[in-house]
Amino acid sequence: MAAREGQNTFRFFTEDLNTAAWQRLALEQDLRRALEQESLELHYQPKVDLRSGEVVGVEALARWQHPVEGNISPMHFIPVAEETGLIRPLGEWALREACLQAMAWQSQGLPPLVMAVNLSARQLLQPGLADMVARILTETGLDPALLELELTETAVMARPEETSTLLQELKSLGVRLAVDDFGTGYSSLAYLRRYPFDTLKIDRSFISNITTSADEAAIAQTIIAMGHGLRLQVVAEGVETEEQATYLRSHRCDQLQGYLFSRPLPAGKMTELLAKGSRLRLPAQPSVHGEEVP
Ligand code: C2E
Ligand code: MG
Ligand code: MG
Ligand code: MG
């Protein structure tokens, strides 16, 4: 009986291994090789100030061009990296690469930008994370005030106590901290004031319908007001239309990021965009006194 059960279990398991697990394993090996051969890349997506239209920061986003499969989304390979421990070298590579790029832009005489780098849930549990960040800042020479680390609320809430200590450590290095994908987790709002965040990024899912749904608009407005009440800078993610941008500007959102202004770009293309001094231009906004504000 037990033996038969064992056999069935085994057969079931091998079938399983032939599909999903096998693919994972192959992907893991390929990802390991990509890291070793430094064939991953970072692309950069601008964040623009909604008052001036100027680029004030960029978010670094990992890209993997697989030799056979083509482009693999970070939504797919970051979880694989997290499950296999590869997130440690990947995270360190991304942070160093982003800091080096920020320094390169500075040395080309471009105005200083805030460089944002994502940290996944698993990275927050990684021993020595703050030391790694400190080491890379020293190595690359980037001003810590120009580095922003983006963390999701779900990642933060997974271990609220440990994360609190970690965030204090990171904050004491002088870096900025952002809550990413705000509104998608199920956490209490209390954490927002308990942790030393500087920036709140409203998730794309709340932005897509702000100009067509009164409910969605109310949610976005409320998040902006709450963020400001807590002295946080508020960034809207996934802004795709001019109407959305105009709405966000009129409700005092600080920055936007999204395809409207630019998709994430490879370093060379981003350098061109910065060198041109490209700005977001929105229709002039009538002020309370009746004159137009640029
Ligand atoms: P995220 O940090 O929330 O990044 C924003 C995502 O929204 C990016 O997807 C970006 O390409 C996409 N996006 C930006 N503007 C628009 C828009 O107007 N419309 C639409 N539909 N999408 C927009 P991407 O690059 O595929 O990255 C997905 C996620 O993977 C990121 O979400 C982040 O959580 C993770 N990720 C990416 N790079 C890294 C990395 O280096 N380290 C870690 N730990 N996670 C990363
Ligand atoms: Mg992010
Ligand atoms: Mg996000
Ligand atoms: Mg997101």
Side-chain angles (χ1 to χ4, degrees), residues 77-119:
F77 70 80
I78 295 289
V80 173
E82 287 200 286
E83 282 164 31
T84 56
L86 286 172
I87 194 66
R88 195 183 179 107
L90 192 157
E92 181 161 349
W93 162 79
L95 188 64
R96 180 177 293 107
E97 183 77 11
C99 291
L100 287 171
Q101 186 59 62
M103 290 304 283
W105 283 328
Q106 277 183 41
S107 71
Q108 290 167 47
L110 296 166
L113 300 170
V114 175
M115 174 62 77
V117 178
N118 291 286
L119 291 182

Side-chain angles (χ1 to χ4, degrees), residues 180-181 203-204 237:
D180 204 349
D181 303 346
D203 190 69
R204 179 165 92 220
E237 294 190 313

Side-chain angles (χ1 to χ4, degrees), residues 180-219:
D180 204 349
D181 303 346
F182 181 78
T184 56
Y186 292 93
S187 52
S188 86
L189 293 177
Y191 84 99
L192 268 186
R193 58 178 170 75
R194 265 211 284 133
Y195 299 110
F197 285 114
D198 302 280
T199 302
L200 185 162
K201 298 187 75 181
I202 309 175
D203 190 69
R204 179 165 92 220
S205 58
F206 295 107
I207 303 301
S208 45
N209 296 320
I210 47 173
T211 53
T212 50
S213 149
D215 291 351
E216 305 265 321
I219 292 173

Side-chain angles (χ1 to χ4, degrees), residues 154-290:
T154 316
V156 170
M157 293 316 288
R159 302 267 191 98
E161 291 311 317
E162 290 89 333
T163 308
S164 175
T165 311
L166 171 69
L167 296 192
Q168 295 299 340
E169 268 184 280
L170 289 170
K171 198 62 217 165
S172 69
L173 300 175
V175 302
R176 302 175 57 85
L177 298 174
V179 191
D180 204 349
D181 303 346
F182 181 78
T184 56
Y186 292 93
S187 52
S188 86
L189 293 177
Y191 84 99
L192 268 186
R193 58 178 170 75
R194 265 211 284 133
Y195 299 110
F197 285 114
D198 302 280
T199 302
L200 185 162
K201 298 187 75 181
I202 309 175
D203 190 69
R204 179 165 92 220
S205 58
F206 295 107
I207 303 301
S208 45
N209 296 320
I210 47 173
T211 53
T212 50
S213 149
D215 291 351
E216 305 265 321
I219 292 173
Q221 269 186 58
T222 306
I223 297 176
I224 296 168
M226 183 197 61
H228 287 162
L230 294 167
R231 293 172 301 281
L232 298 169
Q233 176 179 284
V234 181
V235 180
E237 294 190 313
V239 178
E240 296 183 352
T241 70
E242 195 171 279
E243 291 71 34
Q244 290 164 355
T246 305
Y247 181 91
L248 290 161
R249 181 184 60 183
S250 70
H251 288 90
R252 302 286 181 269
C253 185
D254 301 294
Q255 295 174 16
L256 69 73
Q257 181 180 349
Y259 295 169
L260 170 66
F261 184 68
S262 172
R263 289 188 175 249
L265 300 172
K269 286 264 183 294
M270 187 65 205
T271 307
E272 285 171 28
L273 185 149
L274 294 172
K276 275 193 294 195
S278 304
R279 283 208 295 146
L280 175 72
R281 287 172 208 283
L282 292 176
Q285 168 174 245
S287 82
V288 276
H289 306 296

